[in-house]
Amino acid sequence: LSACSSLGISSKDVYFLKNKTQNLNNDQSNLHKTVELIRKIKPDVIFTHASNDKHRDHKACYNIVKESFWKASEDIHPELGLKHKAKVLLCIEITDMLVKPNFYVDITKFIDNKIIALNYYESQEKIIENFSKYLLSLANIRGFKIGKDYAESF
């Protein structure tokens, strides 16, 4: 939650499904929890991991969110709330680059904030050497594609 706090995101706006690391399953329980959250929050835009991410939890998350994105808009399971159709689902890249991004966002004004937030994920530095440097370089490459210093792609 420290990373969120550094970005001005309140802990009351952060939701966890309470799955253990390396144990997120694409099952009915997680699907229903995600549909319920979408219907409760009513977002216009939903972000999730990309389908090419190699981390098992990220793959499961992608599949759960992708299905929940359209299931939340169907008139089913009223116990999960009133249906809601988000406008767009965007897939993020973390360490596995998107092969053919469709959309870029200039983050030049926010790059320092992003790096500060990422530095709270100390565990990632132990897994991926120079994690912050890698993500900064990736943002620089994505920015180059659109004529900016830094960007994110979706």
Side-chain angles (χ1 to χ4, degrees):
L1 291 175
S2 297
C4 291
S5 179
S6 77
L7 296 170
I9 299 168
S10 169
S11 61
K12 68 180 176 75
D13 294 325
V14 178
Y15 301 88
F16 295 98
L17 296 184
K18 299 186 179 163
N19 290 274
K20 292 182 179 175
T21 300
Q22 299 285 321
N23 201 26
L24 177 61
N25 294 305
N26 183 2
D27 57 27
Q28 187 178 39
S29 174
N30 285 323
L31 176 72
H32 284 185
K33 289 175 189 175
T34 307
V35 166
E36 188 172 28
L37 275 173
I38 291 170
R39 289 177 174 178
K40 175 183 178 183
I41 299 167
K42 300 187 181 340
D44 290 327
V45 180
I46 297 174
F47 295 89
T48 191
H49 297 280
S51 62
N52 70 321
D53 196 309
K54 62 182 166 267
H55 190 289
R56 67 181 300 116
D57 286 344
H58 297 181
K59 285 180 183 182
C61 181
Y62 164 77
N63 286 310
I64 293 165
V65 174
K66 180 181 71 167
E67 185 174 357
S68 298
F69 171 73
W70 59 270
K71 283 287 187 193
S73 69
E74 293 181 337
D75 200 12
I76 59 169
H77 291 289
E79 72 278 9
L80 302 177
L82 298 174
K83 66 181 183 174
H84 173 72
K85 176 143 181 65
K87 293 177 183 172
V88 65
L89 176 67
L90 294 176
C91 296
I92 62 170
E93 59 187 355
I94 299 178
T95 57
D96 301 298
M97 293 177 69
L98 294 172
V99 177
K100 205 173 178 183
N102 297 308
F103 184 65
Y104 296 85
V105 175
D106 177 9
I107 63 165
T108 303
K109 293 191 308 190
F110 309 104
I111 193 66
D112 292 335
N113 302 66
K114 178 177 179 165
I115 297 303
I116 289 168
L118 288 170
N119 285 333
Y120 282 102
Y121 292 94
E122 295 171 9
S123 63
Q124 298 308 301
E125 277 293 337
K126 295 173 187 164
I127 297 168
I128 304 163
E129 192 174 341
N130 295 315
F131 180 63
S132 294
K133 185 176 179 183
Y134 174 82
L135 293 176
L136 185 64
S137 299
L138 179 57
N140 186 242
I141 290 167
R142 293 310 189 193
F144 180 79
K145 294 287 284 181
I146 61 168
K148 302 292 181 184
D149 290 335
Y150 299 99
E152 288 188 355
S153 64
F154 303 92

